[in-house]
Amino acid sequence: MHPITPPWSQPAQLQAQLQKRWDAGDMLRCQLTQEPLFPLALRLKTPSAHDLSHRFDEVRLWAAQLHSLPHGRVDTRETRNRLTGQNSVPHAVWVDTRDQALAWLGLQAQAQDFAQVVALTRQAQPRLLPWLAQRPLQAVALAREWPRLLQVVAWLQAHPRPGIYLRQVDIAGVHSKFLEDQKAVLMQLLDMALPEQAIDAACVGIYQFEARYGFLRKPTSVRFRMLDARTRLLPGTHAQDITLDADSFAQLDCPVSRVFITENEINYLALPPLPESLAVFGAGYGFEALVRAPWLHRCALFYWGDIDTHGFAILDQLREHFPQVQSVLMNEETLLHFEPLWGFEATPCPRTLHRLTSAEQALYTQLQEHRFGPSLRLEQEHIGFGWVQQALQRVLMQLI
């Protein structure tokens, strides 16, 4: 049988207490703020009088282990026991200095990295010192990138709202890939270092980084094709697959009465000829480009997405902007007909949706509750093309 480990605090448990203080950032933070952290008392569970009487050899070994700790100070107190006599028993363990704590954890190099980050920031961007106090461990992780991050902050202080693309930022040693990769931390730093007038507070999140700090963004585009062979938007053949920036698309005012939006590229390309119709290649949850086109509001809109919870969530979001949208091929009949081709949705949407029809809501609820199986989905491209053509013909018949 293996010996039972005594219930008193072991060296590894004491080290774990110290590690928690590091993980909370306390050891680095106190270096910056000068708040007293050391000497630091570690919690110590000690032997009882009963232990001294009945497990004396184990207590002696335990005490010896504590006294051999290379970086801690052990305080003892005298005890008297009728069986073992007078003994000095550890009752407290202290770490007197930050250096001792770092040596115990083997983190001296990380602390040195933080010291260099603090020194550089204090000299170049003292406004960012509170950020270091709030996120010291993140600062250590960014130690190699920190000089370049400070260069970016200084550049934007000198060039507020520059009106150029990120690719055009000209800073020695800083490339646009670095700016893309560090957007999240740069937003935190820039919000602290730039004046209010240099920040568009209405633009939030890394996807609006450019707009928040006055950079140009790649124009949002719309990809579409005419389904009516009688209508040509450009000279040439009628099979035209066109991509325009959102503003140009908004100005088109296409001579169509119905628009089909689908999320799958092959389905978009394979949609059959339909009179007075246009196909748009969807963009998941992003509909800003379509919202800018006022002429779409007079058209009958049809959305074809996957039969899964996110497909219905996208439909729900689209209806926020275009209440007239109808779903196509997103029904229980289609789902059950293609049961052999069912797949699985990795992360189902948990939200309650408010813009679905009663039939759509019923199917959405069944998918959420796994009525047909766990995390079920039927992808658009798994639906037979003959079934698609029949569904589109029924749509046209309803509009006549």
Side-chain angles (χ1 to χ4, degrees):
M1 293 179 62
H2 295 289
I4 299 174
T5 302
W8 323 307
S9 298
Q10 302 299 307
Q13 295 169 325
L14 299 175
Q15 183 177 358
Q17 291 182 43
L18 208 55
Q19 183 69 46
K20 285 184 178 181
R21 301 306 292 263
W22 170 270
D23 293 341
D26 295 343
M27 290 187 199
L28 296 175
R29 191 177 295 108
C30 74
Q31 173 184 340
L32 176 60
T33 63
Q34 303 301 312
E35 295 176 2
L37 180 61
F38 298 94
L40 177 65
L42 301 179
R43 297 186 306 278
L44 187 69
K45 186 174 183 180
T46 59
S48 65
H50 183 272
D51 294 330
L52 283 169
S53 299
H54 296 83
R55 306 179 70 174
F56 183 71
D57 289 341
E58 292 177 79
V59 172
R60 228 176 14 172
L61 178 60
W62 170 79
Q65 289 177 326
L66 294 189
H67 283 295
S68 66
L69 290 173
H71 305 293
R73 170 170 58 87
V74 180
D75 283 352
T76 62
R77 63 184 173 196
E78 297 298 316
T79 65
R80 185 175 296 278
N81 186 287
R82 69 180 180 83
L83 295 179
T84 60
Q86 183 169 330
N87 298 280
S88 294
V89 179
H91 80 96
V93 174
W94 294 82
V95 181
D96 288 324
T97 66
R98 180 172 167 274
D99 288 342
Q100 285 182 333
L102 294 171
W104 192 344
L105 297 173
L107 294 170
Q108 301 97 319
Q110 289 87 333
Q112 183 59 37
D113 287 343
F114 184 70
Q116 293 174 358
V117 166
V118 170
L120 186 58
T121 306
R122 199 183 300 278
Q123 178 183 4
Q125 295 288 343
R127 290 184 184 179
L128 299 181
L129 290 173
W131 188 92
L132 298 180
Q134 294 166 9
R135 300 174 176 84
L137 295 181
Q138 188 178 357
V140 170
L142 290 167
R144 291 184 61 183
E145 289 81 15
W146 196 253
R148 287 188 289 172
L149 290 169
L150 293 184
Q151 284 181 277
V152 175
V153 172
W155 188 90
L156 269 163
Q157 287 172 329
H159 306 84
R161 305 200 67 77
I164 61 175
Y165 291 104
L166 287 178
R167 180 67 180 85
Q168 295 173 280
V169 174
D170 194 4
I171 305 173
V174 177
H175 48 77
S176 56
K177 184 69 165 64
F178 175 82
L179 297 175
E180 293 287 348
D181 291 343
Q182 300 296 338
K183 278 182 179 180
V185 67
L186 278 171
M187 291 186 77
Q188 297 168 5
L189 302 180
L190 292 171
D191 283 356
M192 298 181 75
L194 296 181
E196 284 187 21
Q197 59 270 27
I199 302 170
D200 186 346
C203 299
V204 297
I206 61 173
Y207 295 109
Q208 297 197 62
F209 179 91
E210 289 85 352
R212 186 173 181 86
Y213 304 109
F215 288 98
L216 296 178
R217 293 185 63 187
K218 181 175 69 173
T220 304
S221 59
V222 181
R223 183 179 175 187
F224 63 99
R225 53 185 287 264
M226 291 296 303
L227 299 179
D228 191 334
R230 301 168 301 178
T231 303
R232 292 178 175 82
L233 297 179
L234 296 173
T237 64
H238 69 272
Q240 296 175 342
D241 188 356
I242 303 170
T243 300
L244 290 178
D245 64 272
D247 289 337
S248 297
F249 179 78
Q251 300 302 316
L252 275 182
D253 198 8
C254 288
V256 296
S257 59
R258 58 186 73 92
V259 174
F260 293 85
I261 303 169
T262 181
E263 301 292 326
N264 180 272
E265 185 176 27
I266 295 302
N267 285 339
Y268 157 79
L269 293 171
L271 281 174
L274 295 169
E276 299 180 28
S277 299
L278 178 81
V280 172
F281 184 34
Y285 283 98
F287 295 112
E288 318 88 47
L290 300 184
V291 172
R292 299 185 205 176
W295 57 272
L296 284 177
H297 291 275
R298 62 166 173 75
C299 295
L301 266 62
F302 301 89
Y303 176 76
W304 178 17
D306 295 330
I307 302 180
D308 62 11
T309 59
H310 283 282
F312 283 110
I314 294 171
L315 171 63
D316 181 83
Q317 181 175 310
L318 181 58
R319 280 203 181 118
E320 178 182 359
H321 307 290
F322 300 99
Q324 78 272 31
V325 173
Q326 300 178 52
S327 63
V328 178
L329 294 159
M330 297 177 69
N331 50 60
E332 185 173 343
E333 180 187 7
T334 300
L335 176 66
L336 296 177
H337 187 80
F338 293 95
E339 180 177 355
L341 302 176
W342 288 354
F344 296 94
E345 187 176 26
T347 54
C349 177
R351 293 187 287 116
T352 299
L353 306 180
H354 302 285
R355 304 179 187 90
L356 302 182
T357 66
S358 57
E360 293 163 352
Q361 184 64 60
L363 182 52
Y364 177 68
T365 300
Q366 291 180 86
L367 292 171
Q368 279 190 315
E369 296 176 353
H370 313 294
R371 300 278 184 85
F372 302 102
S375 302
L376 178 72
R377 73 183 307 213
L378 175 63
E379 298 178 72
Q380 303 168 44
E381 59 266 39
H382 290 166
I383 299 174
F385 199 68
W387 189 275
V388 173
Q389 290 177 306
Q390 292 175 21
L392 294 178
Q393 286 301 318
R394 286 196 296 271
V395 168
L396 294 181
M397 292 299 295
Q398 292 171 6
L399 295 173
I400 295 175

